[in-house]
Amino acid sequence: MLILGVDVISENPKRFAVVSWFNGRLERKGEFTLYRLIRFVQSKRPDIVAIDSVTELGDDLRKFLRALPGGTKLVQVTGRPGEQRSLQSLAREHGIRVVDRFDPYEEAKLSALLASKGVGYEVLAFEDEVVIKVTRGRSPGKGGWSQDRYRKRVHNLVRDKVREIGERLRRAEIPFDLEVEEKDYGLARGEFKVYAKREELAGLIKPMRGGDVEVRIQPVERAELGFAPLKGEEAVRGRKSIIVGIDPGITVGIAAIDLNGRVVALHSERNMLVGEVFRFVSNVGHPVIVATDVNPAPGFVEKIARSFKANLFVPRESLRVEEKNELLRNLGINVDDDHQRDALAAAYKAYLRLKPKLEHIDARLREAGLTGKADEVKALVIQGYNLGEAMQRVTLRERPGEEGEEPEERVNVDLRPYMRRIRELEKRIEFLERENAELREIIKEQRKTIGRLERRIADYDEEVRRKVLRERELEAKVKRIEVLERELRDAKDVIARLSRDLVQVKRMNVVEARGSAVPLKVLRVLSWRELERIEREIGLRKGDVLFIVNPAGAGKAIAEELVERGIRALITEKPLPEPVREVLREAHVPFFTSEELDVKRVDEFAVVERERLEEAIEELLSRWEEEDKEREAERILRLVEEYRIERVKELRRRAEEERR
C-alpha cells in the first residue's frame, strides 16, 4: 500500500512537502509545486494522499480532486470539518512519536502514518453515480440510399452497444437507470445513470472514441464536498450513532433513530439527490445501519449504505402497510406522509432486530462500569467487532490529550472468554473459507449456465425482432393495398365517365359522318400559347370554326391573328371581350355563344349542327351587311350636311367682303 503525506510549506508561491509511506517504510520525496504534485500523484497512483486539512489546497482543491487517478483517495486525517482534532493529539493517541510540530515534512509524515492506521475521512468530490453516454461517433450527413444505409447501420451499432453495457451492469449486479432515443429501428443515443463509483466500473465498461460509436463515462460531481470515514470505528467517536431508514423515489423519506430506539429525525423532500441525502444524514449523526422496507433493496439505498460504510438492513420480505402502521403505533409517532412512515418503519424494524443484542451490551457495560460509552461500544459491535474487542478499544482510548500524562482511571476487563471466542471464530472462518471455495465453484457453473441462457435469450430477442419487422412489413403492405384499392376505385370512376363520353363521341362522329354536323376545334382559353398548342396538335386551317371555353383577357392582337388566319366563325361559352368583338365585327368574322347554337361538347371535342350554323352565319352576316349599309348612308348624309354647312359659311364670308 502506497500513501503520500502532504503538508504546505509556503502559500505564495504554493509549495508542498511530500513524504511517502510504502508498507511501513517512510521516505522523504522533496518539495513540489501544485502542478508537479499532481503529475507526481498521477504517475505513482498512490492508494491515499493524506493531508491534515484540505483548506491548505485553497481554491485548487476541486482541481486537485478532479486530477486524482482512479482508486486514489484524498484523506483529511484530522476529521470532519467542525469536528477536527490536532494532528499531534491524534498521533499521540495512536502511539506515534512527535518530533517537531513546525516541520512541514514532520507534519506530512504524521499524516501518512495516521492514514496507514485508518485514521481520517475520505474527501468525496463525486457522487456514487456515473453517467455513461453512448452516441454516434460521427454525423451521418446528407445523401442518398448509401447514406441512409450507413445511418441505419450506425444506429444499430449504438443499440447493440447499449444492450451490451446493460447486460454487463446487470451481470455485475450494479443498479442503473437507462434513457434511450430511438431512430431507424435502432438507437441514436443511450444514457445510463449508474449507481456506483467510477472505480467499480474499471475493467467492466471502457470508454470508446473515434469510431462509429462513442462511449463517454462521466462521474457526477457533488455540489458540496462530503467526508466519509476510512474506517467505520473512527466515525462513531464523538458522533451520535444512528439507524437510518430510507424510502427512495420522487419524494425521498428519511428517518433516524438512536441505538436506544428514540426517533431523532424525520424528513421527506421531493427530488433529493444522493449527495443531499448524504449531507442530511451526516448532520444528524453517523449511521451504523441503513434500512429499507422492501426486498430486494433499491440501488439508491445500497449506495447510501456504501457511502457511510454502514451495514445494510433488508427485511426477509417487503413490509406490508398494516405492519408499518403497527410499528408506528408502537412508537407513538405521527408522520406527515407515507414516505416518512415507510422510512421510519424500516429503521424501527432494523432496531427491533438488534434490540436483544443491544440490551445484552447495556447489561455487560453496567457490570464493567462503561455505561458512559454505551453508544460507541454498540456501534462497534454492530460494525462487526465482538463485545470484548469493542470494550477494549474504547477503554484504551480513555486517555488525556496531552502527551506524558497518565490516564485518570483504567478499567480492567477479563479478556480470556473473548480470546476463547476469537479462537472459535477463527476455526469457524476456516470452515467458511472452505465452504466459500465450494460455493465459488457452484457460482462459476451457474455463470456458465447464465451465459448459455443469455445467448438463448439473445437468439429469442433476434427472433422477436424479425417477427416485429415482418409485422411492420405486413402492416405497410396492408396500407399499400388500401391506397391501391382507392386508386382502383378512382380509376373505375374515370373509366365509367370516359365510357359515357365515348358513347357521346361516337354519336358525334356519326352525325359528322352524315354531314349534318360541323366539328369545332376547342381552345380552353384565347391565348397565344393555346393557339400554338392547337396549331401543333391538330392544325389550324382557313375556314375552321373555333370553340373558345373562356375568352376572358384576350386582346386585339390575337383577334387580328385569327382574322388573318381566315377562320370562318368563333363560338364561346362566355361573352367575348369588347376589343375582340370589334376586330371580328370589322372583319365580318361571325361570333356566337354556345347557347345560341346548342353546341354539343365532350372534353376536347365539340360539334354543332351544320344547318343551324349556316343559318346563324348567314343571318348574322346579313344583319351586319344591313348595318353597314345604314352606317354608310349615315356617313354620306353626314358628309353632305357638313359640305352644305361649310358652303353656307363660305357664301356668307364672301357677301361680307363685298359689302366692305
Side-chain angles (χ1 to χ4, degrees), residues 84-103:
Q84 291 176 255
R85 300 172 58 190
S86 70
L87 198 63
Q88 289 71 30
S89 66
L90 282 170
R92 285 192 291 269
E93 181 178 310
H94 289 84
I96 301 172
R97 183 168 171 266
V98 180
V99 179
D100 183 359
R101 60 181 299 178
F102 298 106
D103 182 4

Side-chain angles (χ1 to χ4, degrees), residues 299-340:
F300 188 92
V301 180
E302 291 181 0
K303 184 167 57 177
I304 295 296
R306 285 200 305 270
S307 298
F308 285 107
K309 296 180 175 59
N311 295 334
L312 177 65
F313 171 79
V314 183
R316 294 187 179 90
E317 58 183 18
S318 299
L319 301 182
R320 299 185 304 278
V321 175
E322 298 81 4
E323 187 175 359
K324 297 175 188 175
N325 293 333
E326 181 64 25
L327 289 170
L328 264 63
R329 277 195 294 271
N330 294 337
L331 274 171
I333 296 292
N334 293 324
V335 295
D336 296 336
D337 52 47
D338 293 343
H339 307 287
Q340 293 184 9

